[in-house]
């Protein structure tokens, strides 16, 4: 079956692992994703309803706008995707405009522009909440029109929420399935991307997520699947779950040698 790509680039995106994730995702009426990211799992599954959440307000605002006015958004966003705007000076001007803007629609347009033009499609903010990823220096920029249209069509089944994983997971009732894709336990200190948004996701949060998953699965008979790196820590955190090991390639690395195969795990609470 042909897989659908997300319209955003995303660190830790699940496009390459979709087949393995869907193999272990239980059936149900509604899928809840507390860490939706670019939405690859949402785009490649077939539930009746979706509750899709993230703590990144810009991301959820963008998704909500595309759900309601996809064609207007595409027409306006296209105006930013020109050869003149794929230059360092223009990029930093738009980045500054984004950081100063308080208009949700303008920020949504600029968020897409920054995502496709910045280094490796990273989404990172400084302690003041300013987007601070540098210019990506791509020769050619792809405008993801068909991917946006597909997302907008599928989004008619979805409710988007800006909120914490604790808040969103507590919305689960029988018939719901939860898929959690938290910021991963780093394999080394140099690969720590957990501060991709203003509030990082440390080991205490990782443990809290595992305990909450265990509790909700037991109390409400709601199956929960969590993905993460396969490490000593994650094996300990998810010791009450059924563990499946999957192999993937590192998606972000500064040196070419870093793009090697690594083990991830899928922890299923049911």
């Amino acid at each position: 079956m042909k897989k659908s790509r997300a319209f955003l680039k995303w660190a830790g995106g699940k496009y390459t692992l979709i087949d393995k994730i869907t193999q272990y995702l239980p059936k149900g009426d509604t899928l809840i994703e507390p860490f939706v990211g670019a939405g690859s799992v949402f785009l490649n599954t077939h539930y009746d309803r979706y509750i899709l959440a993230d703590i990144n307000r810009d991301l959820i605002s963008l998704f909500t706008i595309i759900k309601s006015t996809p064609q207007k958004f595409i027409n306006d966003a296209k105006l930013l995707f020109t050869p003149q705007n794929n230059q360092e000076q223009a990029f930093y001007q738009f980045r500054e405009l984004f950081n100063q803007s308080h208009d949700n629609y303008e920020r949504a347009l600029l968020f897409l522009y920054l995502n496709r033009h910045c280094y490796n499609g990273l989404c990172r903010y400084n302690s003041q909440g300013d987007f601070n990823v540098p210019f990506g220096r791509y020769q050619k920029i792809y405008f993801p029109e068909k991917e946006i249209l597909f997302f907008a069509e599928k989004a008619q089944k979805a409710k988007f929420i800006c909120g914490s994983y604790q808040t969103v997971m507590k919305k689960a009732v029988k018939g719901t399935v939860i898929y959690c894709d938290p910021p991963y336990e780093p394999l080394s200190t140099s690969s720590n991307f957990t501060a991709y948004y203003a509030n990082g996701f440390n080991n205490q949060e990782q443990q809290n997520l595992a305990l909450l998953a265990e509790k909700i699965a037991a109390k409400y008979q709601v199956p929960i699947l969590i993905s993460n790196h396969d490490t000593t820590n994650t094996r300990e955190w998810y010791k009450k779950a059924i563990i499946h090991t999957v192999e993937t390639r590192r998606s972000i690395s500064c040196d070419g040698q870093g793009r090697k195969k690594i083990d991830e795990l899928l922890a299923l609470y049911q």
Side-chain angles (χ1 to χ4, degrees):
M1 188 176 75
K2 188 174 181 295
K3 293 191 289 185
S4 299
R5 281 196 179 275
F7 67 86
L8 293 172
K9 297 181 179 185
W10 208 255
K14 289 296 170 285
Y15 181 79
T16 58
L17 272 179
I18 281 298
D19 293 338
K20 289 169 182 172
I21 291 169
T22 53
Q23 182 183 341
Y24 298 114
L25 257 183
K27 291 182 169 56
D29 304 322
T30 303
L31 179 67
I32 294 180
E33 288 196 64
F35 307 89
V36 67
S40 287
V41 172
F42 155 62
L43 291 169
N44 290 282
T45 50
H46 304 283
Y47 292 86
D48 294 336
R49 289 172 298 281
Y50 294 85
I51 297 174
L52 306 175
D54 204 279
I55 56 166
N56 187 324
R57 282 189 187 82
D58 292 314
L59 182 70
I60 296 302
S61 177
L62 169 65
F63 288 168
T64 304
I65 286 166
I66 285 174
K67 176 182 177 179
S68 60
T69 55
Q71 199 56 59
K72 174 177 168 29
F73 180 86
I74 285 168
N75 294 343
D76 293 339
K78 263 186 183 172
L79 301 176
L80 296 173
F81 282 68
T82 65
Q84 298 94 311
N85 288 343
N86 187 25
Q87 294 177 25
E88 195 163 357
Q89 185 179 0
F91 174 84
Y92 288 112
Q93 286 174 344
F94 282 126
R95 193 179 78 172
E96 186 178 355
L97 180 61
F98 174 82
N99 287 329
Q100 292 175 352
S101 177
H102 297 288
D103 180 271
N104 286 341
Y105 188 75
E106 181 179 50
R107 284 181 73 90
L109 294 171
L110 290 167
F111 189 85
L112 177 63
Y113 165 85
L114 292 171
N115 175 264
R116 303 300 303 197
H117 290 77
C118 75
Y119 177 73
N120 262 351
L122 285 174
C123 183
R124 188 184 65 203
Y125 300 77
N126 64 20
S127 57
Q128 282 77 48
D130 290 340
F131 188 90
N132 67 353
V133 184
F135 183 52
R137 304 184 185 281
Y138 298 108
Q139 283 194 317
K140 197 173 180 184
I141 301 292
Y142 173 69
F143 183 74
E145 180 168 2
K146 71 176 191 296
E147 291 85 352
I148 292 172
L149 287 170
F150 182 76
F151 184 98
E153 182 184 349
K154 187 104 194 237
Q156 302 312 309
K157 293 182 173 183
K159 178 180 182 181
F160 296 106
I161 297 172
C162 181
S164 68
Y165 69 90
Q166 296 99 325
T167 304
V168 179
M169 287 173 73
K170 286 171 183 172
K171 294 182 181 294
V173 294
K174 196 158 186 180
T176 303
V177 176
I178 299 177
Y179 170 64
C180 294
D181 181 29
Y184 274 20
E185 152 85 348
L187 294 173
S188 66
T189 51
S190 64
S191 65
N192 192 340
F193 286 105
T194 57
Y196 79 104
Y197 198 55
N199 41 343
F201 202 83
N202 58 23
N203 280 9
Q204 187 59 56
E205 291 284 10
Q206 299 275 11
Q207 292 175 64
N208 290 344
L209 172 62
L211 289 169
L212 183 60
E214 186 185 327
K215 181 179 170 183
I216 289 174
K219 188 174 179 180
Y220 300 106
Q221 289 82 56
V222 168
I224 301 173
L225 189 68
I226 305 178
S227 53
N228 213 318
H229 282 139
D230 190 352
T231 68
T232 305
N233 277 345
T234 56
R235 288 272 171 173
E236 174 62 24
W237 297 333
Y238 308 139
K239 61 188 176 187
K240 301 279 183 70
I242 300 163
I243 301 290
H244 302 284
T245 306
V246 295
E247 193 178 64
T248 186
R249 286 189 180 276
R250 185 192 299 279
S251 58
I252 288 185
S253 175
C254 293
D255 61 57
Q257 298 302 311
R259 295 181 183 273
K260 56 190 178 186
K261 289 187 176 180
I262 53 172
D263 282 340
E264 295 192 9
L265 59 75
L266 292 167
L268 179 61
Y269 294 88
Q270 57 182 7

